[in-house]
Every structure is written in structure tokens, then in C-alpha cells.
Amino acid sequence: MPMLTEATREEAFTAFAREVEPRIRHALIPICGVEGAKDATADALLYGWQHWERLSGMDNPAGYLYRVGRTTASRARRRKVGFPSVPNPQLPWVEPGLPAALGRLSPKQRTVVWLVHGLGWPQVEVAELLGLSPPTVQTHARRGMEKLRAHLGGTS
């Protein structure tokens, strides 16, 4: 790979960071909460900037930085896993037991359920970001939803 000038390196990383930052942050919310996800994403992007030459040649640099953020968050454990309260009363009603039920899922199930069912991401994109196969994402989504239904007393 040819040597990049500092300006070219900065432009390439800035474009990459703008694209992947929201995806990484959203994927980390179920693991470390909203504020923890912001911090872990910032730490991951800092790591990405510091190691951009190596990272830019990877097949899945966003997935790698997601794992950096996940590791950073698990080490810090600054906040308990939680989901933001609903600040706008015009938003749809949310089952009061949902945050506790989500907290009972494994971290992977919680992340997959949040991204697929909460944010509407395609399973293929979730698989790419998390470094999982699409069938594994489908299994985590199905099992996670089954557990949520059981905890909340819903029917399949």
C-alpha cells in the first residue's frame, strides 16, 4: 500500500469515522448504555485513528472497532446496562417491564434484538458489524425474542 500524506490519511479516516460511528455507537448501547456507548465508541475511534494504516487494510474495520469498543466498555463497566427513558410523551407506549427483560438476555442476544427489532437493521448488516454469520444473528434474534416473550408473558 502506498504511503499516504497526512492530509489524505486524515480525510480517509474522517470519511470512515463519519460512516461507522453511528453504527458502532448503536451496537454498543445494549452492552453499556447510552453514555457508555458514546464513551466506548469514542475510545474505539481514537484507537482506529492511532492504528489507521493497519485498520484500513482490514476486511471489516468497523467490526474490529466494535470489538475494541466492546472490550473498552467491559473493562470500564462505568454504567449499568440500561436503555434511555422516553423523554417525549408523544412517543409510542413501551412495556414497563421491557428494560428489565432486555437486561436478562445475553449481551449478544440483547445487541441483536436491539439492532434488528429495535432499530430495524437488516440481519446481514448486524452480522457484518458484529462479526457473526447471518444464521447466527437470526438465531440470536429468534431466541432473544422468545426469552422476551416469556419474561413479559406474551405469546409467540
Side-chain angles (χ1 to χ4, degrees):
M1 183 156 66
M3 214 43 162
L4 298 175
T5 66
E6 186 63 27
T8 305
R9 176 184 186 268
E10 186 175 328
E11 288 174 19
F13 181 78
T14 300
F16 168 77
R18 280 193 182 122
E19 177 189 338
V20 302
E21 185 276 336
R23 292 171 45 207
I24 294 170
R25 183 172 31 86
H26 287 133
L28 291 170
I29 287 173
I31 295 169
C32 54
V34 174
E35 292 304 315
K38 289 178 187 176
D39 293 342
T41 302
D43 291 343
L45 289 173
L46 174 61
Y47 179 90
W49 170 251
Q50 292 169 338
H51 299 91
W52 180 239
E53 284 73 23
R54 184 171 58 92
L55 191 73
S56 63
M58 292 181 176
D59 290 338
N60 186 5
Y64 186 85
L65 289 184
Y66 163 76
R67 289 185 292 282
V68 169
R70 189 179 65 198
T71 300
T72 300
S74 68
R75 285 187 186 147
R77 291 288 181 219
R78 291 183 286 258
R79 296 194 182 269
K80 183 180 178 187
V81 172
F83 291 87
S85 60
V86 180
N88 185 345
Q90 296 176 343
L91 292 175
W93 177 83
V94 175
E95 166 62 46
L98 183 60
L102 284 167
R104 291 186 185 114
L105 300 180
S106 73
K108 279 190 182 172
Q109 286 176 346
R110 186 170 45 246
T111 300
V112 168
V113 167
W114 172 255
L115 293 174
V116 171
H117 295 288
L119 299 179
W121 284 25
Q123 290 182 4
V124 172
E125 285 185 29
V126 174
E128 180 183 327
L129 179 68
L130 302 181
L132 303 170
S133 69
T136 301
V137 168
Q138 185 176 15
T139 299
H140 282 305
R142 181 180 46 78
R143 289 180 181 167
M145 290 303 292
E146 287 171 358
K147 287 181 182 177
L148 286 177
R149 288 183 189 105
H151 288 302
L152 297 172
T155 59
S156 298

